[in-house]
Amino acid sequence: MLFFLNDGIQENKSGIEHTQIQRLNLFNHFKQPAMIVTRQYSNELHQVTKHAGIADEDFVNLFDYFQNARIVKPKDVTIKDVQIDADWQRKSDGNNYVYTRNGHQILYVRRRNDAKKHIINLQYFDHFGKLLNVKWYDIRGFISVEQVYDWQGNIATENYFQPNGKLALQLAHLKDKRGQEVKTYHLFDYHGQDYQFTGLDELSAFFLDQLVTDKEICGDGPVGIIVDRVYENGWSVLHMKNRVARYMQLHNDHVNHNEDMLHSTLNYNYEWGLRHIKDWDGVIALTPQQQDDVRDRFGKYGTPIFRVPSAIVSNETINAEHVPFEKRKLHHVVTVARLSPEKQQEHIIAAWPQILKAVPDATLDLWGYANDNYDEKLKKQVKDLGLEKSVHFRGYTTNVGQVDDEAQLMVLPTRVEGLSIALVEAGAHGLPAIANDVKYGPSDVIIDGQDGLLTQNGDIDGLAKAVISLLTDQKRLAQMSQNAYKDSYRYSEPSVMKLWQKIIDDMNEKEANK
């Protein structure tokens, strides 16, 4: 059993979450036991996993685990299921209800905007109008957490319940002598004992110890952990009492300045993990180039450096009918990436006026959710350049394949990458791509001149010329499309599984030598 360890999962998933889901599907296809593991609480967690196609049987969450709520049969909870004093007066507030007693609000019922108006939470107030507590319903239909408020309106205590109503876990929000928040977790009657933990990291280490020894989940075979978010989970993994095989996964550049790989400061996401590299059973790089760079700097410590790409092209995609190039939208360009500074969408926007001069009917769609309102900066740039008619912001999509099938060209002007799932997906859908030749990924995915073009980071004129050269040569672009389909076989399920098998073999060997 291999556990893929994350912090949380949301509807708008980053590349790491997409990687975990693809990897889980890959392992399921080859009948290799694996599960995704998260530690953050959300009452809508199982709606998110359902939308992501993650079965409850393939998923473990820390709070679910201690609440005995991993697999729960959903039930409808509506207003008729809430016990309300018959003397309270009710009035509507959109989908929600306000209940008053003697003119004072006593209860607020928040409901979902769905057909049955399922209950989201119940908010209770005292006769002065102060919020006392909020009872949150899990999306599956039971009260999963109660938040109790103090006189200042802050959450003082959070009580987490099992579906049968039994208190499982309590989080107390305390202050130390410097006024800094201290979170203390209390686990009640767990196998007949009570436990207390200072902070989520301590609780997570205990949780992982329970998980890797849980035969109902792990079975009888070897157990290992792939840590996909080292910054959040690394400490807990390395402080487990049960020693299992543990591997640190790199998802992007591990240094801040890749012009000096041997001496640059480390990416904060991986710094702690790499400072403790001797404590890992392996580090997983995404590309051969990164594998070499990590070996050059850290090889002296003896920790194996594996290489597995984060992107996987499914058999379904490999075997799908190719889109005839003439069916694609003429001169349509897309960028699929988070709207954030390191992705540098402002570069393709800056190059766009030159592109429009050569290809007046060219269009550009920017797909992806925004980090820290970065989209506002980009939208202002588009407005200032007068590009509103040809450049459009499309937001986050769960159907990237359709986007790739309709476009003629993808552009990724990023300054740093891990591998770029977006580029691999583009190639698998026959979409030629232009990307900066930066570490890591673009040069591993794009075969320059064959299925796309590599450009120099920061060269706006060069980027514009590259886009123009392809949009104005439809025959060449069509050939690149066919090449992209063929070249994507490098990331097929069998090809990637061969690389994962090396880590599985390593895990099995370590288990055999215990």
Side-chain angles (χ1 to χ4, degrees):
M1 172 67 72
L2 271 172
F3 292 112
F4 308 148
L5 189 54
N6 205 333
D7 192 44
I9 185 168
Q10 301 175 350
E11 287 287 2
N12 290 350
K13 291 172 283 295
S14 72
I16 292 178
E17 284 71 56
H18 285 296
T19 292
Q20 286 192 315
I21 294 167
Q22 288 185 355
R23 187 195 302 155
L24 178 65
N25 293 336
L26 177 74
F27 275 53
N28 284 341
H29 177 77
F30 284 93
K31 301 187 186 316
Q32 173 63 44
M35 290 186 181
I36 294 174
V37 179
T38 66
R39 66 175 191 163
Q40 294 291 350
Y41 171 83
S42 169
N43 67 312
E44 298 189 339
L45 178 61
H46 287 265
Q47 178 172 275
V48 173
T49 54
K50 180 180 179 180
H51 291 168
I54 304 171
D56 287 346
E57 292 80 7
D58 294 333
F59 179 76
V60 187
N61 172 261
L62 179 153
F63 286 89
D64 276 353
Y65 188 82
F66 290 126
Q67 291 176 266
N68 288 328
R70 269 196 67 224
I71 300 176
V72 175
K73 184 178 180 180
K75 66 177 182 179
D76 296 323
V77 178
T78 61
I79 195 66
K80 65 181 176 57
D81 300 302
V82 180
Q83 293 184 351
I84 297 171
D85 194 312
D87 293 333
W88 295 353
Q89 291 77 47
R90 184 179 85 177
K91 66 177 182 179
S92 298
D93 179 26
N95 284 324
N96 309 318
Y97 287 129
V98 179
Y99 289 86
T100 59
R101 181 180 61 192
N102 300 324
H104 298 286
Q105 178 172 292
I106 199 74
L107 171 65
Y108 188 85
V109 180
R110 187 177 168 203
R111 305 193 300 168
R112 298 185 184 279
N113 187 24
D114 56 21
K116 293 187 177 181
K117 300 293 188 292
H118 292 99
I119 303 297
I120 299 175
N121 63 37
L122 307 175
Q123 304 172 26
Y124 292 91
F125 301 81
D126 67 11
H127 63 280
F128 295 110
K130 185 179 78 67
L131 182 62
L132 295 175
N133 65 64
V134 179
K135 300 180 189 297
W136 289 86
Y137 281 85
D138 185 278
I139 191 72
R140 296 167 291 176
F142 65 93
I143 293 176
S144 59
V145 62
E146 174 193 43
Q147 296 173 326
V148 181
Y149 287 75
D150 62 20
W151 285 101
Q152 286 73 45
N154 301 312
I155 298 174
T157 306
E158 298 179 50
N159 298 312
Y160 295 86
F161 300 98
Q162 297 180 13
N164 64 8
K166 180 181 178 181
L167 179 63
L169 188 67
Q170 184 179 79
L171 167 57
H173 297 262
L174 307 173
K175 299 283 187 181
D176 64 17
K177 60 185 178 182
R178 295 181 177 84
Q180 300 298 313
E181 184 180 40
V182 177
K183 293 183 178 181
T184 303
Y185 291 86
H186 303 260
L187 184 61
F188 296 104
D189 193 23
Y190 179 71
H191 297 322
Q193 286 187 263
D194 294 347
Y195 297 86
Q196 182 170 319
F197 309 92
T198 300
L200 182 58
D201 287 342
E202 282 189 10
L203 176 61
S204 298
F206 180 82
F207 159 62
L208 293 171
D209 274 319
Q210 307 312 302
L211 182 61
V212 300
T213 55
D214 190 328
K215 294 298 183 181
E216 290 187 6
I217 293 177
C218 298
D220 295 320
V223 178
I225 296 176
I226 307 296
V227 183
D228 284 296
R229 288 196 184 274
V230 180
Y231 178 83
E232 292 84 356
N233 294 299
W235 187 94
S236 299
V237 172
L238 295 190
H239 285 79
M240 292 170 60
K241 293 180 180 179
N242 290 289
R243 183 66 166 86
V244 297
R246 54 206 190 191
Y247 305 89
M248 179 175 66
Q249 172 75 65
L250 302 175
H251 282 280
N252 46 44
D253 200 334
H254 57 283
V255 300
N256 292 321
H257 307 288
N258 54 33
E259 66 275 6
D260 185 359
M261 301 303 302
L262 293 179
H263 307 97
S264 170
T265 55
L266 299 172
N267 181 329
Y268 78 94
N269 287 297
Y270 308 112
E271 181 175 11
W272 191 90
L274 290 171
R275 296 294 182 201
H276 296 82
I277 192 169
K278 291 186 291 184
D279 296 321
W280 298 96
D281 292 300
V283 176
I284 307 171
L286 297 178
T287 70
Q289 189 179 29
Q290 185 177 40
Q291 184 181 31
D292 289 341
D293 284 346
V294 175
R295 279 175 177 162
D296 287 346
R297 182 161 178 172
F298 297 100
K300 60 186 177 183
Y301 297 107
T303 300
I305 313 300
F306 298 93
R307 193 270 301 183
V308 185
S310 55
I312 304 164
V313 180
S314 69
N315 288 341
E316 181 183 5
T317 300
I318 287 283
N319 297 323
E321 185 178 352
H322 293 181
V323 177
F325 189 76
E326 61 272 15
K327 297 290 186 181
R328 296 175 179 272
K329 184 179 177 182
L330 183 64
H331 299 151
H332 184 49
V333 181
V334 296
T335 294
V336 180
R338 286 178 295 110
L339 305 183
S340 59
E342 69 272 16
K343 300 300 183 181
Q344 297 187 150
Q345 286 92 345
E346 69 271 16
H347 286 190
I348 184 59
I349 294 173
W352 203 247
Q354 293 185 52
I355 296 168
L356 284 181
K357 287 182 180 178
V359 190
D361 64 343
T363 54
L364 171 65
D365 280 356
L366 300 167
W367 292 89
Y369 65 85
N371 286 147
D372 302 322
N373 298 317
Y374 195 71
D375 56 328
E376 298 303 321
K377 175 181 177 180
L378 298 176
K379 288 175 182 177
K380 183 179 185 300
Q381 181 186 12
V382 168
K383 183 178 180 180
D384 291 344
L385 292 173
L387 302 174
E388 297 98 322
K389 290 184 179 180
S390 61
V391 178
H392 305 98
F393 293 84
R394 300 302 187 186
Y396 180 81
T397 180
T398 58
N399 196 352
V400 175
Q402 181 178 340
V403 172
D404 291 340
D405 284 341
E406 294 176 352
Q408 283 197 330
L409 181 65
M410 175 175 284
V411 175
L412 191 67
T414 181
R415 60 178 168 79
V416 61
E417 277 297 327
L419 174 67
S420 180
I421 294 176
L423 289 179
V424 174
E425 289 178 334
H429 286 266
L431 181 61
I434 294 174
N436 288 332
D437 188 10
V438 296
K439 293 185 176 180
Y440 295 98
S443 63
D444 289 276
V445 181
I446 297 173
I447 301 176
D448 192 28
Q450 178 169 304
D451 54 26
L453 297 175
L454 294 172
T455 50
Q456 295 302 308
N457 182 32
D459 183 2
I460 305 299
D461 290 340
L463 178 60
K465 290 177 182 177
V467 174
I468 292 168
S469 72
L470 295 187
L471 291 185
T472 56
D473 190 344
Q474 290 287 298
K475 183 177 179 180
R476 183 187 185 197
L477 198 55
Q479 184 59 56
M480 282 188 169
S481 176
Q482 291 304 311
N483 294 339
Y485 280 119
K486 296 175 185 176
D487 295 339
S488 68
Y489 278 74
R490 294 171 296 159
Y491 300 95
S492 67
E493 291 182 1
S495 298
V496 177
M497 197 64 204
K498 285 181 181 178
L499 297 171
W500 274 114
Q501 190 61 48
K502 296 179 181 179
I503 295 170
I504 295 169
D505 292 343
D506 185 75
M507 175 186 71
N508 292 339
E509 181 180 347
K510 286 179 169 54
E511 180 68 21
N513 292 332
K514 276 187 177 180

